[in-house]
Amino acid sequence: MNKINIAVVGLSFGGSFVPIYRDHPYVGKVALCDLDPGLMDRFTKLYGIQDQYTSLEEVLADDTIDAVHLVTPIPQHAEQIIQVLRSGRDCACTVPMAVSHEDVGRIMDTIRETGRKFMLMETTLYTYQMFYVRQMLERGEMGRIQFLRGCHYQDMSGWPSYWEGLPPFWYGTHAISPLIALSGRHVKRVVAFGSGTMDQELVKKYGNPYPVETALLEFSGGLKGEVTRSLFETAHVYKEGFCVYGSRKSFEWGFYDGSMPYVTTLEELADIELNPDMKGIRGRATPVAEIEVPNYYLDLPQEIRKYTVGKNYDATNPQNSLKKGAGAGHHGSHPHLVNEFVKAIVEDREPAIGPALAYEITKTCLCIHDSALAGGVSIDIPGR
């Protein structure tokens, strides 16, 4: 099997993916690209990577590079995705892939025209929690999905200047993506509201007056959901979470990002009737349990399983430390994202978070902000 050569562009966050690519058995060469030579030198010393570039143009001038993973500032994503695809390379990009409807259309056209692979590197779709809920649904434990809820609370003050005043749902993919993926349905319509007020200095860059946006979603088939995103001047512990309410069981993220989730079970009426202690009680019993979510690492190549664990990985007892599921890289998602992108290229297939799902996620986020700016007007979302 021929190995592929990948360039990681943008190391401030993208650096966390570098050792995973380096150790993946289907990857040959890993190249680094960043505006900061000192940052690249640090990764070269850490991981023994020699190939360095200071611009995307330099990367694309290297004929040995097969694919590019973009981890660059949000305003640059659309143009850089198009640039990579038109160069004949496959492209992965951190979220969001675009912040305008026009750019979404341009990217989709470019994917069709070039035939290259594109993957949106959405971390929430490969978390421990996501794997757990998928398995619950596959086993039929949850019954019918009745309602969905997503949220992302994070204060971005002090981040690089392009974040200042960013509309909440331009970077709302972490709240939206699990709902779309778990439902397997198209979001037909959104009704959204902005809430609160911000310092006027934060409003200037993007014309966004809201620190918080919240929306109701209507999926095809009648299912509904709710999402909320905060970015500035709103006191809440960091959390990227989702809830799935089923006819038999429900899954709810804990209060903060690292807390244990809850599973609630709706007991069968027959079981209640057989219990003497339940006689005369109206409604069904709904026992709740905190769940320790396991680490789903077995579908990964052995060489990169350790990156689902992070600092708690014990090389002397790998299986035991892996089973503990200690958090790393957005709840263990990073190696799964790398593995899916690499395998999609090697196997010549569309990635799991390919153009169709990337379009659905991005268009929904953009339409939520449009609705909020318009005071809660209902907006229909066109299918791809």
Side-chain angles (χ1 to χ4, degrees):
M1 180 180 293
N2 292 327
K3 295 187 176 184
I4 60 173
N5 299 326
I6 293 182
V8 179
V9 181
L11 298 179
S12 293
F13 170 52
S16 62
F17 292 92
V18 168
I20 307 174
Y21 280 116
R22 181 203 59 179
D23 292 349
H24 197 289
Y26 296 170
V27 173
K29 178 176 74 174
V30 179
L32 308 177
C33 179
D34 198 275
L35 296 175
D36 183 352
L39 190 57
M40 285 193 290
D41 288 342
R42 184 160 66 86
F43 280 94
T44 291
K45 291 174 183 176
L46 277 172
Y47 304 119
I49 295 170
Q50 301 302 320
D51 294 86
Q52 296 186 6
Y53 305 94
T54 57
S55 71
L56 180 58
E57 287 73 20
E58 286 184 17
V59 170
L60 301 181
D62 183 346
D63 292 336
T64 67
I65 299 297
D66 302 303
V68 175
H69 181 174
L70 297 169
V71 202
T72 53
I74 287 173
Q76 300 174 15
H77 289 178
E79 291 299 333
Q80 290 182 338
I81 290 168
I82 292 170
Q83 191 176 353
V84 171
L85 294 172
R86 292 204 180 281
S87 77
R89 272 70 168 207
D90 298 310
C91 182
C93 185
T94 189
V95 297
M97 72 172 182
V99 292
S100 75
H101 296 286
E102 179 185 4
D103 281 342
V104 171
R106 292 172 59 224
I107 292 170
M108 301 304 291
D109 288 343
T110 304
I111 293 170
R112 283 190 289 266
E113 291 164 7
T114 63
R116 305 309 306 181
K117 308 275 188 300
F118 173 75
M119 179 168 168
L120 186 66
M121 302 296 266
E122 174 50 63
T123 56
T124 60
L125 299 187
Y126 284 100
T127 60
Y128 307 139
Q129 295 88 341
M130 190 70 174
F131 279 112
Y132 188 84
V133 173
R134 282 188 185 277
Q135 288 197 354
M136 289 180 71
L137 288 169
E138 288 167 2
R139 292 192 294 258
E141 290 180 28
M142 303 190 84
R144 303 181 309 280
I145 296 179
Q146 305 286 40
F147 190 69
L148 296 158
R149 177 170 283 129
C151 67
H152 183 182
Y153 304 106
Q154 185 176 14
D155 187 274
M156 310 300 285
S157 57
W159 283 54
S161 60
Y162 67 85
W163 288 98
E164 294 173 0
L166 193 81
F169 267 96
W170 278 12
Y171 186 59
T173 65
H174 297 328
I176 287 287
S177 299
L179 314 193
I180 293 174
L182 289 170
S183 70
R185 303 183 188 190
H186 167 61
V187 180
K188 292 172 52 181
R189 184 168 66 101
V190 299
V191 175
F193 294 94
S195 184
T197 58
M198 286 198 302
D199 187 302
Q200 286 304 302
E201 286 299 311
L202 290 174
V203 178
K204 290 179 179 178
K205 187 180 292 289
Y206 300 105
N208 163 55
Y210 302 122
V212 183
E213 289 177 336
T214 190
L216 291 176
L217 315 176
E218 180 183 4
F219 295 84
S220 57
L223 183 66
K224 306 298 189 299
E226 177 269 321
V227 286
T228 298
R229 176 73 168 104
S230 68
L231 264 172
F232 297 99
E233 298 180 338
T234 305
H236 195 290
V237 64
Y238 176 76
K239 176 180 175 180
E240 297 173 16
F242 65 87
C243 302
V244 182
Y245 300 93
S247 59
R248 295 178 181 172
K249 287 186 179 181
S250 295
F251 174 95
E252 295 177 279
W253 202 282
F255 178 70
Y256 62 94
D257 203 55
S259 58
M260 293 172 65
Y262 299 88
V263 171
T264 302
T265 303
L266 190 63
E267 290 190 346
E268 296 295 331
L269 285 172
D271 295 334
I272 295 172
E273 290 168 358
L274 292 173
N275 185 344
D277 295 332
M278 298 298 294
K279 293 294 185 181
I281 295 178
R282 297 181 181 182
R284 303 191 198 184
T286 52
V288 180
E290 280 190 310
I291 301 298
E292 186 172 352
V293 182
N295 183 349
Y296 297 87
Y297 60 87
L298 290 175
D299 62 335
L300 293 171
Q302 188 168 356
E303 295 89 337
I304 64 171
R305 290 176 180 175
K306 62 184 178 182
Y307 296 110
T308 65
V309 177
K311 294 179 180 178
N312 295 314
Y313 179 72
D314 181 1
T316 65
N317 193 354
Q319 292 303 312
N320 186 54
S321 60
L322 284 166
K323 287 176 182 177
K324 292 179 180 178
H330 289 89
H331 302 281
S333 64
H334 290 187
H336 291 280
L337 288 166
V338 166
N339 188 54
E340 175 59 21
F341 180 50
V342 170
K343 287 184 67 178
I345 296 171
V346 170
E347 296 170 1
D348 192 22
R349 59 171 174 80
E350 187 170 291
I353 319 175
L357 186 52
Y359 171 92
E360 186 81 21
I361 293 166
T362 309
K363 288 290 283 188
T364 301
C365 286
L366 294 176
C367 288
I368 287 174
H369 181 57
D370 293 345
S371 176
L373 283 182
V377 65
S378 174
I379 294 181
D380 294 330
I381 304 177
R384 179 176 171 231

